[in-house]
Amino acid sequence: MSSLVSSRSSAAPIDYVAFGALSLSLLSVTFGATLAKHLFPLVGPAGTTSLRLIVGAIILSAIFRPWRLDLKAGWRPLLAYGVVLGVMNLSFYNALAYIPLGLAIAIEFTGPLMVALLTSRRRLDFLWIGLAVLGMASLLPIWGTATQLDWRGIVLALVAGACWAAYILIGRHAGRIHGPAASAGGIIVAAMLVAPIGIADAGMALFRPEVLLLGVGVGLVSSAIPYGLEMVALPRLPSNVFSILMSAEPAVGAMMALFLLGEHLTPSQWLAIGLVICASIGTAVTARPGALRTEQP
């Protein structure tokens, strides 16, 4: 694919809409993770995933009216986008049943980081990737007294990472074809894929009032809001820039935990967060002219 570069200016402006949408998405999805953990004892990982996707599908459908999508224009990317979205959520939540949350997020990030490595074209890009990798490696709970990790959780987190990489590439394509409404179409597919699994696993517990209420909150802040915002950002950012910016999620999650859960971090952990944030800011500041414009096939 070739980049659509402006020929009238050698200093194209940064796409602040895309960066703002992605920043809000990170805040929303990390806050949703704190809510989702409260559902695990009630309906399990599969039930939590089902509620998240069903609620997200209802909300996004009301906003974007996916029944107006022109499927003849490209239904295959939309279907693929929904499938990887569903598998990504289901595998990640199941991974949390076996390994710690921070480790699961770090392993999942191997997906978008691989996309960044494979799509980078300049040496400077690898500097920011290196900072992000160093920062996330410092956040891994493997220093000092490491505990034995369950291989099932590691495999599930790797599956989620592979789906995340596919989500970046396929979602960007689906967003160019269908616009923000692709988020609604994709999450409907994801919900249809995962809901039968969640219902079979959790049963009637999914319909308890307190579960439904918490599920609405999780679906809103974990699915509806972030996926809608990401569909705004995906078509406007090249895949390598999007991937490195998303690496700020562990840092955003750590700060969210500090303010909402009172979890205090050591100086070395704050240093790790600083490295990840520097990678994200560096990517935004040093992006080539036109690099933040939509890529055309």
Side-chain angles (χ1 to χ4, degrees), residues 43 45-50 86-87 90-91 94 190-203 206:
V43 294
T48 302
T49 308
S50 300
V87 176
L90 185 61
S91 56
N94 275 278
M192 293 175 63
L193 176 68
V194 175
I197 302 174
I199 293 173
D201 184 59
L206 282 173

CSV table of all heavy atoms in Angstrom, one decimal, residues 43 45-50 86-87 90-91 94 190-203 206:
chain,number,residue,atom,x,y,z
A,43,VAL,N,-20.2,-14.6,36.7
A,43,VAL,CA,-20.6,-15.3,35.4
A,43,VAL,C,-19.4,-15.8,34.7
A,43,VAL,O,-19.5,-16.4,33.6
A,43,VAL,CB,-21.4,-14.3,34.5
A,43,VAL,CG1,-22.7,-14.0,35.1
A,43,VAL,CG2,-20.6,-13.0,34.2
A,45,PRO,N,-15.4,-15.8,32.8
A,45,PRO,CA,-14.8,-15.0,31.7
A,45,PRO,C,-15.7,-15.0,30.5
A,45,PRO,O,-15.8,-14.0,29.8
A,45,PRO,CB,-13.4,-15.7,31.5
A,45,PRO,CG,-13.1,-16.4,32.7
A,45,PRO,CD,-14.4,-16.8,33.3
A,46,ALA,N,-16.2,-16.2,30.1
A,46,ALA,CA,-17.0,-16.2,28.9
A,46,ALA,C,-18.3,-15.4,29.0
A,46,ALA,O,-18.7,-14.7,28.1
A,46,ALA,CB,-17.4,-17.7,28.6
A,47,GLY,N,-18.9,-15.5,30.2
A,47,GLY,CA,-20.2,-14.7,30.4
A,47,GLY,C,-19.9,-13.2,30.4
A,47,GLY,O,-20.6,-12.4,29.9
A,48,THR,N,-18.7,-12.8,31.0
A,48,THR,CA,-18.3,-11.4,31.0
A,48,THR,C,-18.1,-10.9,29.6
A,48,THR,O,-18.5,-9.8,29.2
A,48,THR,CB,-17.1,-11.2,31.9
A,48,THR,OG1,-17.3,-11.7,33.2
A,48,THR,CG2,-16.7,-9.8,31.9
A,49,THR,N,-17.4,-11.8,28.8
A,49,THR,CA,-17.2,-11.4,27.4
A,49,THR,C,-18.5,-11.2,26.6
A,49,THR,O,-18.6,-10.3,25.9
A,49,THR,CB,-16.3,-12.5,26.7
A,49,THR,OG1,-15.1,-12.7,27.5
A,49,THR,CG2,-15.9,-12.0,25.3
A,50,SER,N,-19.4,-12.2,26.9
A,50,SER,CA,-20.7,-12.1,26.2
A,50,SER,C,-21.4,-10.8,26.5
A,50,SER,O,-22.0,-10.1,25.6
A,50,SER,CB,-21.6,-13.3,26.5
A,50,SER,OG,-20.9,-14.5,26.1
A,86,GLY,N,-14.2,-10.9,18.4
A,86,GLY,CA,-14.8,-11.8,19.3
A,86,GLY,C,-13.8,-12.8,19.9
A,86,GLY,O,-13.8,-13.0,21.1
A,87,VAL,N,-12.9,-13.4,19.1
A,87,VAL,CA,-11.9,-14.3,19.6
A,87,VAL,C,-10.9,-13.6,20.5
A,87,VAL,O,-10.5,-14.1,21.5
A,87,VAL,CB,-11.2,-15.0,18.4
A,87,VAL,CG1,-10.1,-15.9,18.9
A,87,VAL,CG2,-12.2,-15.8,17.6
A,90,LEU,N,-12.6,-13.0,23.9
A,90,LEU,CA,-12.8,-14.2,24.6
A,90,LEU,C,-11.5,-14.9,25.1
A,90,LEU,O,-11.4,-15.3,26.3
A,90,LEU,CB,-13.6,-15.2,23.7
A,90,LEU,CG,-14.0,-16.5,24.3
A,90,LEU,CD1,-15.0,-16.3,25.5
A,90,LEU,CD2,-14.6,-17.5,23.3
A,91,SER,N,-10.5,-14.9,24.3
A,91,SER,CA,-9.2,-15.5,24.7
A,91,SER,C,-8.6,-14.6,25.8
A,91,SER,O,-8.0,-15.2,26.7
A,91,SER,CB,-8.3,-15.6,23.5
A,91,SER,OG,-8.1,-14.4,22.8
A,94,ASN,N,-10.3,-15.1,29.2
A,94,ASN,CA,-10.0,-16.5,29.7
A,94,ASN,C,-8.6,-16.5,30.2
A,94,ASN,O,-8.3,-17.3,31.1
A,94,ASN,CB,-10.3,-17.5,28.6
A,94,ASN,CG,-11.7,-18.0,28.6
A,94,ASN,OD1,-12.1,-18.8,29.4
A,94,ASN,ND2,-12.5,-17.4,27.7
A,190,ALA,N,-19.2,-10.3,16.4
A,190,ALA,CA,-18.5,-10.8,17.6
A,190,ALA,C,-19.4,-11.3,18.7
A,190,ALA,O,-19.2,-12.4,19.3
A,190,ALA,CB,-17.6,-9.7,18.2
A,191,ALA,N,-20.5,-10.5,18.9
A,191,ALA,CA,-21.5,-10.9,19.9
A,191,ALA,C,-22.2,-12.2,19.5
A,191,ALA,O,-22.4,-13.1,20.4
A,191,ALA,CB,-22.5,-9.8,20.1
A,192,MET,N,-22.5,-12.4,18.3
A,192,MET,CA,-23.2,-13.6,17.8
A,192,MET,C,-22.3,-14.8,17.9
A,192,MET,O,-22.7,-15.9,18.1
A,192,MET,CB,-23.6,-13.4,16.3
A,192,MET,CG,-24.7,-12.4,16.1
A,192,MET,SD,-25.1,-12.1,14.4
A,192,MET,CE,-25.7,-13.7,13.9
A,193,LEU,N,-21.0,-14.6,17.8
A,193,LEU,CA,-20.0,-15.6,17.9
A,193,LEU,C,-19.8,-16.1,19.3
A,193,LEU,O,-19.7,-17.3,19.6
A,193,LEU,CB,-18.7,-15.2,17.3
A,193,LEU,CG,-17.5,-16.2,17.4
A,193,LEU,CD1,-17.8,-17.4,16.5
A,193,LEU,CD2,-16.2,-15.5,16.9
A,194,VAL,N,-19.7,-15.1,20.3
A,194,VAL,CA,-19.4,-15.4,21.6
A,194,VAL,C,-20.6,-15.7,22.5
A,194,VAL,O,-20.5,-16.5,23.5
A,194,VAL,CB,-18.5,-14.2,22.2
A,194,VAL,CG1,-18.2,-14.4,23.7
A,194,VAL,CG2,-17.2,-14.1,21.4
A,195,ALA,N,-21.7,-15.1,22.3
A,195,ALA,CA,-22.9,-15.2,23.2
A,195,ALA,C,-23.3,-16.6,23.4
A,195,ALA,O,-23.5,-17.0,24.6
A,195,ALA,CB,-24.1,-14.4,22.6
A,196,PRO,N,-23.4,-17.5,22.5
A,196,PRO,CA,-23.7,-18.9,22.8
A,196,PRO,C,-22.8,-19.6,23.8
A,196,PRO,O,-23.2,-20.3,24.6
A,196,PRO,CB,-23.7,-19.6,21.4
A,196,PRO,CG,-23.9,-18.5,20.4
A,196,PRO,CD,-23.2,-17.3,21.0
A,197,ILE,N,-21.5,-19.2,23.7
A,197,ILE,CA,-20.5,-19.8,24.6
A,197,ILE,C,-20.7,-19.2,26.0
A,197,ILE,O,-20.7,-20.0,27.0
A,197,ILE,CB,-19.1,-19.4,24.1
A,197,ILE,CG1,-18.8,-20.0,22.7
A,197,ILE,CG2,-18.0,-20.0,25.1
A,197,ILE,CD1,-17.5,-19.5,22.1
A,198,GLY,N,-21.0,-17.9,26.1
A,198,GLY,CA,-21.2,-17.3,27.4
A,198,GLY,C,-22.5,-17.8,28.1
A,198,GLY,O,-22.5,-18.1,29.3
A,199,ILE,N,-23.5,-18.0,27.3
A,199,ILE,CA,-24.8,-18.5,27.8
A,199,ILE,C,-24.7,-19.9,28.3
A,199,ILE,O,-25.2,-20.3,29.4
A,199,ILE,CB,-25.9,-18.3,26.8
A,199,ILE,CG1,-26.2,-16.9,26.5
A,199,ILE,CG2,-27.2,-19.0,27.2
A,199,ILE,CD1,-27.2,-16.6,25.4
A,200,ALA,N,-24.0,-20.7,27.5
A,200,ALA,CA,-23.8,-22.1,27.9
A,200,ALA,C,-22.9,-22.2,29.2
A,200,ALA,O,-23.2,-23.2,30.0
A,200,ALA,CB,-23.1,-22.9,26.8
A,201,ASP,N,-22.0,-21.3,29.4
A,201,ASP,CA,-21.1,-21.4,30.5
A,201,ASP,C,-21.8,-20.8,31.8
A,201,ASP,O,-21.6,-21.4,32.9
A,201,ASP,CB,-19.8,-20.6,30.2
A,201,ASP,CG,-18.8,-20.7,31.3
A,201,ASP,OD1,-18.5,-21.9,31.7
A,201,ASP,OD2,-18.4,-19.7,31.8
A,202,ALA,N,-22.4,-19.6,31.7
A,202,ALA,CA,-23.0,-18.9,32.8
A,202,ALA,C,-24.4,-19.2,33.1
A,202,ALA,O,-24.9,-19.1,34.2
A,202,ALA,CB,-22.8,-17.4,32.7
A,203,GLY,N,-25.2,-19.6,32.1
A,203,GLY,CA,-26.6,-19.9,32.3
A,203,GLY,C,-27.4,-18.7,32.7
A,203,GLY,O,-27.2,-17.6,32.2
A,206,LEU,N,-26.5,-14.9,33.9
A,206,LEU,CA,-26.4,-13.7,33.1
A,206,LEU,C,-27.5,-12.7,33.2
A,206,LEU,O,-27.4,-11.5,32.9
A,206,LEU,CB,-26.2,-14.1,31.6
A,206,LEU,CG,-24.8,-14.7,31.2
A,206,LEU,CD1,-24.9,-15.2,29.8
A,206,LEU,CD2,-23.8,-13.6,31.3
